[in-house]
Amino acid sequence: MKTRQDHPVALVTGSSSGFGLLICVELALRGFIVVAGIRRPEAQAGLMEAAERAGVRERIDPVQLEVTSETDAERAVSYIRGQYRRLDMLVNNAGTALGGLIEEVPAAVWPEQMETNFHGTVRVTRSALPLMRERGKGRIIQMSSISGRIGFPGYGPYAASKFALEGFSECLALEVRPFGIDVVMVEPGAYGTPIWNKGFARMNAAPNSPYRNMLDKVLAFSRKSAEQGGDPREVAGLVADIACMKRPAFRYALPRSTKWTIRAKTALPGRLFQRMMAYILDKA
Ligand SMILES: NC(=O)c1ccc[n+]([C@@H]2O[C@H](COP(=O)([O-])OP(=O)(O)OC[C@H]3O[C@@H](n4cnc5c(N)ncnc54)[C@H](OP(=O)(O)O)[C@@H]3O)[C@@H](O)[C@H]2O)c1
């Protein structure tokens, strides 16, 4: 009979909603013990109900994890070390989407965005590496974004944080490879999760701003993309597939439209691609 120690162990950050919640349930269904990082203890009810419905309640182990806190990151990994003695998978998923037009975004927004999406990921990754390295085995799945490959107007802070994550992860992949640890990037386009409403609520321009017209277009385009966005379960399913693969690729972009947009950026001259983006925004 399998004991708890025989199951692979995953740590998922930002597990209270959206992709994180679904990833926890999906990984638990595939046999993982999931240590679910949640920054607000009161926000774990939704995850536990979803786990109960899926019949995997006993495989989800919530821990307090605010990714901007070094103490939380260290404590979460020490807990995993003490309780399970292994960490097979880290899913760096916690994130926020802060935007606005660059000239008008308040100065404090930039470090706030970087602190969660970039420094938070660096912090949790650094805490997790020793445990993975000691066992000579591990996988780190980074929740990047199409905004980590392409900069859209109105998403300066968010794109900066995700581009930083991409660069960091390329370096990390080569540094940890000799220790049996691999790194995989997941780059979703727009999916219907709570992140967009949280982000849109803070995106505004002064009434007589020269960017008013552009911001309206950006918001219209973003709302439409979020409303027509794919089913977040698709992303959670992909993450769980990656977790179970023997040799995953380095990057996965989804849905298909995102994959093609990234390919177009790679293949087309930079100015032509920019004109294409401006045209699409104009038609929103
Ligand atoms: N949805 C999309 O279309 C899309 C596309 C590309 C990439 N992504 C990426 O996917 C990831 C998950 O986002 P989502 O769409 O699932 O949005 P979401 O439902 O808003 O989930 C974000 C999660 O991150 C948590 N979080 C935020 N700041 C945190 C912090 N400082 N410390 C710990 N946890 C924190 C949130 O916790 P609270 O509940 O406490 O706020 C929540 O659990 C993000 O990295 C996002 O950039 C999303």
Side-chain angles (χ1 to χ4, degrees):
M1 201 180 88
K2 269 192 166 186
T3 69
R4 258 169 102 84
Q5 263 73 20
D6 297 324
H7 289 272
V9 176
L11 170 62
V12 181
T13 67
S15 302
S16 70
S17 66
F19 294 151
L21 183 154
L22 296 168
I23 290 167
C24 289
V25 173
E26 201 57 49
L27 285 175
L29 283 168
R30 312 256 183 134
F32 282 81
I33 299 284
V34 182
V35 179
I38 294 185
R39 65 170 163 173
R40 297 173 294 123
E42 71 278 13
Q44 75 181 47
L47 169 63
M48 291 330 239
E49 280 159 25
E52 188 79 54
R53 279 196 303 276
V56 291
R57 167 70 188 78
E58 78 290 350
R59 295 221 183 116
I60 308 274
D61 186 359
V63 295
Q64 158 79 32
L65 180 46
E66 161 63 63
V67 299
T68 64
S69 158
E70 191 82 34
T71 313
D72 275 12
E74 288 293 335
R75 201 190 289 133
V77 176
S78 316
Y79 169 76
I80 293 168
R81 184 187 283 280
Q83 188 72 14
Y84 303 107
R85 296 188 184 84
R86 61 190 285 180
L87 178 58
D88 301 83
M89 199 72 46
L90 166 62
V91 184
N92 277 312
N93 164 77
T96 55
L98 303 181
L101 279 309
I102 288 167
E103 193 181 331
E104 300 191 338
V105 172
V109 166
W110 298 88
E112 179 188 344
Q113 181 69 104
M114 293 303 284
E115 192 48 35
T116 299
N117 291 9
F118 176 64
H119 295 293
T121 301
V122 174
R123 191 172 285 119
V124 178
T125 301
R126 293 186 71 233
S127 300
L129 280 176
L131 185 51
M132 288 184 166
R133 201 171 30 71
E134 284 159 28
R135 292 187 70 238
K137 195 168 173 278
R139 182 162 294 161
I140 300 171
I141 302 178
Q142 311 285 43
M143 194 56 76
S144 181
S145 167
I146 186 172
S147 290
R149 306 292 300 283
I150 298 171
F152 296 98
Y155 285 92
Y158 185 61
S161 72
K162 294 293 184 181
F163 267 69
L165 173 65
E166 292 271 343
F168 157 74
S169 303
E170 285 189 7
C171 301
L172 178 71
L174 291 173
E175 290 180 17
V176 298
R177 196 166 171 263
F179 301 103
I181 303 169
D182 72 336
V183 178
V184 181
M185 310 304 295
V186 176
E187 298 163 340
Y191 280 84
T193 71
I195 199 167
W196 302 115
N197 283 337
K198 295 178 197 168
F200 295 152
R202 292 179 60 182
M203 249 167 127
N204 39 47
N208 51 0
S209 160
Y211 294 101
R212 182 76 258 170
N213 187 30
M214 180 173 279
L215 185 69
D216 288 345
K217 281 185 179 162
V218 166
L219 282 172
F221 179 76
S222 305
R223 286 218 170 82
K224 201 162 115 194
S225 310
E227 278 160 23
Q228 295 172 352
D231 182 343
R233 283 175 298 187
E234 195 186 344
V235 176
L238 172 68
V239 170
D241 287 348
I242 294 168
C244 299
M245 280 176 202
K246 222 176 163 102
R247 279 191 200 84
F250 180 57
R251 285 195 163 94
Y252 291 87
L254 74 169
R256 199 170 298 147
S257 56
T258 295
K259 200 182 293 181
W260 283 108
T261 312
I262 293 172
R263 283 197 186 154
K265 181 187 170 180
T266 319
L268 294 175
R271 295 291 178 203
L272 179 58
F273 185 73
Q274 282 176 351
R275 281 209 295 280
M276 204 177 96
M277 287 283 111
Y279 176 80
I280 292 169
L281 190 65
D282 226 41
K283 296 284 156 215

